[in-house]
Amino acid sequence: MNARKSLTAVVLVVALGVGYTSMSTAPVLRDDAYSYHGDTKWHTDYERAATIADEQNRPMLVYFWTTWCTYCEDYDENVYSDPTVRDRLDEFVLVAVNLDNDGSRTSELVNRYDANYPPQLVATHPNGTRLVKINGYVERDRFLSHLDRAERRMDR
Amino acid sequence: MTTLGTLLLGAGTLLAAVATTLLGVGYARRDDRFDALVPRVVAGAAGLLVVSLVYLTYQFVVTDYSNAYVWQNSADYLPLLYRVTGVYASNAGSLLLWATLAAVVAAWAIWQRGPGDAEGRLVGALTMGVVAYFGTVLVLDSPFRHVSTAVSGGVPTTGSGLNPLLIDPYMAIHPPLMFAAYALLTMPFAIGAAHFVGLARRDDGLFAAWRGAVTRWLRAAWLLLTTALALGALWSYTVLGWGGIWAWDPVETAILVPWLFLTATLHAVVNYRPRDRYALLAPAMTASTFALVLYTTTVVRSGVFRSVHSFADNGAGLGIVVLVGLVALLGVGLPLGYWLVREDDHEGSGGEWVTRSTLLHGAVLALGLLAFVSLWGLTFPVLRDLATGIEVEVTARYYNRWSYPFVLVTLLLLGFYMDFDVEGKRRALVGLGVFGAATVVAALYAPTTTWQLGGADQQATGLYAVVGQVSALSVFPPVAYVVLAVLKRGLTRIPGAPRQTKLKQTGIVFVHIGVALLVFSLAFTYLFTGQASVIVEGNSETGERVDVPDSPYSVQALSFGSYSVPENPDVDRVALSTRDINRRGTATNGTTQTVHGTVTDIRRGPSATVYQLDDSGVWLGVTAANGTTTTQFARGDEVVARGAVLWDYVPQAAVVVLTSPGNVGPVSDPPASLGLTRVAGQTVDLAVYEDGQQVTVGRAAQKRYPRQGGMQTREVIVDRGLVSDTYVIAAIQGDTASLTVKRIPLMTPLRLSVAALLFGMLLVFLFDPAHGVWTRLRSPSLETDPATSD
């Protein structure tokens, strides 16, 4: 095998290495039951989350996101990984809706909450009534104040 | 309902199919019977597609909402430019643009060469086959569908509007350039594929004879694609990324893949020698660029990716993985295996490692590897999701960190190749050793943590962590190496050469220095962008100057303002009159419409007030909020409302338009909820100071599109400086603005590097002595001389 062919073989091995390593070390975003954002864990099954919210009488927080949305990454890095935010989020039943997973359920939720672009968050009463909607990205403190408002409305 | 546009499309597609068949039969039977007819059929197909595109553009210009696609992607408040660009705002329109351009390219090629010999017919059959395929897809999903297929109640009075992100001059030019590049790539695809068909039929294939044409098509596509990428990046800089020109989102990455692969292909094609160098690889790469373009288009338009997802939900995921594997094996593995074991690859067969051809091969492979990094980043999350049901995250980190070492290696290789050409092997190897060592040393030295590529990224492991620790200083030695070697080589090759060669060599110098500077400025622009935020408040007088914390900036709000578009919405145009309602009849039953009229009678009830409009059978039913009627109109008031049209709702009225108090108001001051305002803008005029010196005065704006889910865009202030750009983004609420001031370094070298790259490409494209456009027109005899290529 001449130099050019050997070089090609080497590069192919490198490419396979890149392929395998990157695929096996990529951070998991979603498994069968949950979607992971920052250090938080969100339900992916809306019905199941709604049942839990109903049983425990806790507000729901529905997060509309996509893998390509850079502001969703900002949420992961600056908001969801924050310990204070995490504690507050524990008070909600969390559901993440990936807008690119084009199931009929997704489009129904998109229509119901008028949330056709990422990121958007909607806090709801377990009965489905909308409490607060956050369009786009907001900083940590404003995010927390939105959660406060949602809980106040929930208590009313 | 079949529309005129769909008929035109159908006729064009039919002619394209006829041309494909005639050319195919002519090729298979080696028969020139149809040769006189073919150019006319092809011209007819191209002509009909052009007419379709012009007709669609016309429908957009006059906002003909009887066309569903126009209604979905335009609105009459938009300026003419964006009514025109709405044509390619969505799938069907952009495919029509692509198909039309491909048909024009095919027609031009056939017009130029004539169907010619058998191979020419096959190339023609393949290009027209692509056009016919696109045409069929378009007929099935037509951009000319009647609006009744999308909404009921007759032709809407207003359009849904254009995606606000596309309302930008860069976005007006970017897509047509990109689709023109894609269309140009149809020819190289056809030539490459026809070459392999020829090989399979045991003749020599046509690549050697068509090499000049392939080079010109590829270079033209490369030039357009690079321009499109640059414009897209500029668009991102001001509209999407707010100061970022590249964010590795799938759309950007998807376009980078064919660009990188095309660059690699060009390097292979210009070094192609029949029966010797790249005899297989060059045609194979030429043929596959188009497939990559198709793949990336599906990523951009994402429809296929979505359907892949739903496929996985049906439990058929593994099938797709197997299919992808098979296609890759047949399309890539087979030719590669054939090439690896084939024996007649003469040059370098003595095992010599450092030769010009090995180095060039290295360049092709390095570019291919970079393309692979991007392609894989797009693809593996989908594959993994399909195979395991687990979704993984691919962020900028993946792309940046895998690409960075390969880019450095590519630059070192480029420097070495250029140096090798001038200095010979021994001295060039010393140079490589010096600059290679300097790169390693520089990679280990970071003056501050900001210089480290990974910054404060704690979570990284493995190679991500290693590259994250590397200092950005490491980019200096390879860039310097390339610049020095390219200049040195240019200086030895340009003086004394014939004019054509001079111009081509100058072009090559510009292209490679442009690339080196681009890499350099990109790395530092990203690492050293600094930003700080502050809130400014206005009052009746000019606001005070406020220091922006942790930055050398201070800002002063000069004035706040707001505006809406259209300023005084013409209710007559956007709302139906009572006559319109009656004319449309029961087709409007159950639909939501905006109506207007003069109150001629009033009936009040416990839960609603009902107003008769224009003495007609149309009544407006306004429900009471919380048991109280808040809306009070008198006879003679002109009102406008948005509500559900209900025919035969009550016996006393032909039609009741049922609405709530928030959705009804006087024509002179319609409520905001009617959506007559398409853009609600808030502005702040600012003076920006750096170290006490005024840098700029400008207006930042925040625009909200109520009819598009409340989507927002911003107009930013950009002050372009020699060393850095100052960039202000504002979120405005009343008389308060939350400002982010960014300092973005090295944008000037970045712009210059892109300009150098494009200028160099243009020189090579036009003046290459062997395959240039200008040269060919003047001296076709040079066509077959391969000795002067680079």
Side-chain angles (χ1 to χ4, degrees), chain B residues 140-338:
Chain B
L140 294 176
D141 180 21
S142 173
F144 293 103
R145 265 193 204 156
H146 194 268
V147 75
S148 58
T149 57
V151 284
S152 48
V155 175
T157 47
T158 54
S160 303
L162 183 63
N163 183 339
L165 292 173
L166 301 180
I167 305 176
D168 180 85
Y170 290 124
M171 262 299 126
I173 324 168
H174 164 86
L177 283 179
M178 216 173 58
F179 286 111
Y182 289 0
L184 290 174
L185 285 173
T186 323
M187 284 304 295
F189 154 73
I191 297 167
H195 176 75
F196 283 103
V197 175
L199 288 185
R201 293 181 60 153
R202 297 189 184 284
D203 59 25
D204 278 348
L206 50 73
F207 203 77
W210 288 62
R211 186 176 157 222
V214 168
T215 313
R216 280 186 293 275
W217 288 117
L218 287 176
R219 280 185 181 150
W222 193 44
L223 187 61
L224 290 178
L225 203 57
T226 313
T227 316
L229 265 169
L231 288 173
L234 283 174
W235 168 75
S236 173
Y237 186 61
T238 50
V239 177
L240 189 67
W242 297 334
I245 56 169
W246 196 263
W248 291 112
D249 87 16
V251 175
E252 295 167 351
T253 314
I255 298 167
L256 184 68
V257 174
W259 185 85
L260 282 168
F261 194 78
L262 184 56
T263 311
T265 306
L266 264 170
H267 281 83
V269 167
V270 295
N271 289 288
Y272 165 86
R273 305 283 181 276
R275 281 183 290 283
D276 180 9
R277 240 197 281 164
Y278 293 127
L280 190 78
L281 197 61
M285 289 177 86
T286 304
S288 27
T289 316
F290 189 66
L292 267 184
V293 164
L294 289 177
Y295 176 76
T296 56
T297 309
T298 57
V299 176
V300 176
R301 298 300 189 182
S302 80
V304 167
F305 267 52
R306 288 182 185 201
S307 68
V308 167
H309 276 279
S310 50
F311 211 55
D313 292 342
N314 296 336
L318 197 62
I320 281 284
V321 180
V322 170
L323 183 69
V324 171
L326 274 177
V327 169
L329 191 70
L330 289 173
V332 184
L334 210 59
L336 199 71
Y338 177 63

Side-chain angles (χ1 to χ4, degrees), chain A residues 2-8 12 14-15 18-19 22-23 25-30 68 71 76 98 100-101, chain B residues 242 250 306 309 336 339-340 342 345 347-349 352 357 361 372 376 380 384-385 390-393 398 464:
Chain A
N2 68 27
R4 293 213 305 277
K5 287 179 180 174
S6 315
L7 197 59
T8 310
L12 278 178
V14 171
V18 171
S22 54
M23 185 140 115
T25 58
V28 172
L29 278 178
R30 180 182 66 78
W68 46 265
Y71 287 101
D76 287 0
N98 184 342
D100 278 347
N101 276 351
Chain B
W242 297 334
R306 288 182 185 201
H309 276 279
L336 199 71
W339 176 72
L340 281 172
R342 209 174 56 124
D345 197 0
E347 193 174 320
S349 56
E352 179 86 39
S357 66
H361 190 64
F372 170 78
W376 186 241
F380 85 75
R384 185 153 178 204
D385 188 11
I390 293 177
E391 233 172 85
V392 289
E393 182 180 31
Y398 160 85
Y464 290 113

Side-chain angles (χ1 to χ4, degrees), chain A residues 38-86:
Chain A
D39 295 327
T40 52
K41 200 166 143 188
W42 302 61
H43 288 278
T44 50
D45 183 339
Y46 182 86
E47 268 67 37
R48 192 174 146 57
T51 315
I52 296 173
D54 200 32
E55 281 168 0
Q56 304 179 352
N57 196 30
R58 279 156 64 197
M60 279 171 88
L61 188 63
V62 191
Y63 176 37
F64 294 88
W65 70 289
T66 63
T67 47
W68 46 265
C69 142
T70 47
Y71 287 101
C72 302
E73 286 167 29
D74 288 353
Y75 267 130
D76 287 0
E77 278 173 30
N78 308 331
V79 181
Y80 300 150
S81 343
D82 183 89
T84 322
V85 174
R86 275 205 315 272

